[in-house]
Amino acid sequence: MATILAIESSCDETSASICKDGEILSNIIATQAVHHKYGGVVPELASRAHQQNIIPVVEDAISTAKINKKDIQAVAFTRGPGLLGSLLVGTSFAKGFALARNLPLIEVNHMHAHILAHFIDDPKPKFPFLCLTVSGGHTQIVLVRDYFDMEIVGETNDDAAGEAFDKTAKILGLPYPGGPLVDKLAREGNAAAFGFPEPQIPGLNFSFSGLKTSILYFVRDKKKVDPDFLTNNMADICASVQHRIVTILLKKLKLAAKQYNISHIAIAGGVSANSGLRQHLQDVAEQESWKVYIPAFQYCTDNAAMIAIAGYYKYLRGDFVGQDISPLARMNF
């Protein structure tokens, strides 16, 4: 039975998890409120916050799991992709902990981990399946043949879906992080109130930059006529924008499912916590006879439990790295 300590520090959340024989015993996440007043993540501040949080978070993960440091048999960590300074903190801590206790190191690709988060709880997907991975930095449709045999079959040409949500929130004057606020307000609005364009991108790729621009011009023009337009229509705008983003995502996902003749469909990444996406996915699943897999909310956003489960499957096949390993801001899928 393998007991693994996992570290996640790719962006603005410091997280540590303990996994024992594929079971998550703890998943501790420290968020960083310092970025709120800047309207986005400031890389230098993020890395400093990771330095402050990493030791308390790891200690909390170990105590919550009710184990001792000597019980840990390997250390898994996010190597990339992500903010280099943030990754450096997590990688350095993992290397130091492993060196001090003579433990093997396991590097994990952050995007692989988002997909493998589906193997934390039951029901687990059956291979092959398609995974729509949507986050602040990535929008991908991935064909998953095995735990580490994955192929990107569709991705964004520009902005990610999470960026579209956050930039919309900024245009609307909502505080950071804006994506969850758009989702919350959308539940109170009419999704058919306003029509936003659907980008005509061939194949399985996405584009969200044009949608962002159309929202910017829409708000500008409406405010010229009615200065109180945003105040009076905020919920309807959020619902309409969310509806368009979700329809863009699911249209491509339906196309991929037909192209690869796959009916097992998963979603992952921070945007997979969006209530509109979850509901629309369930609706499409009924129409298309899909078997759908959606991770628990705590495993959607950046967290170390997904790093731990990915590390566990790498541990089983003896996939370790040496102390000369370094983080990568950009990492091949």
Side-chain angles (χ1 to χ4, degrees), residues 195-200 210-211 214-215 244 248:
F196 292 102
E198 178 182 344
Q200 302 302 308
L211 174 63
S214 71
I215 295 166
R244 175 50 70 209
I248 292 169

Side-chain angles (χ1 to χ4, degrees), residues 16-17 28 37 39 44-45 55 93 113 142 150 166 187 194 213 229 237 240 243-244 253 256 288 296-297 299 301 333:
S17 175
I28 308 301
K37 63 181 179 180
E44 177 62 25
L45 296 181
I55 292 176
F93 182 91
V142 181
M150 305 179 190
D166 287 337
R187 296 173 207 171
F194 306 106
T213 303
F229 177 77
I237 297 171
S240 300
H243 177 75
R244 175 50 70 209
L253 189 57
E288 302 290 328
F297 280 106
Y299 304 135
T301 54
F333 192 83

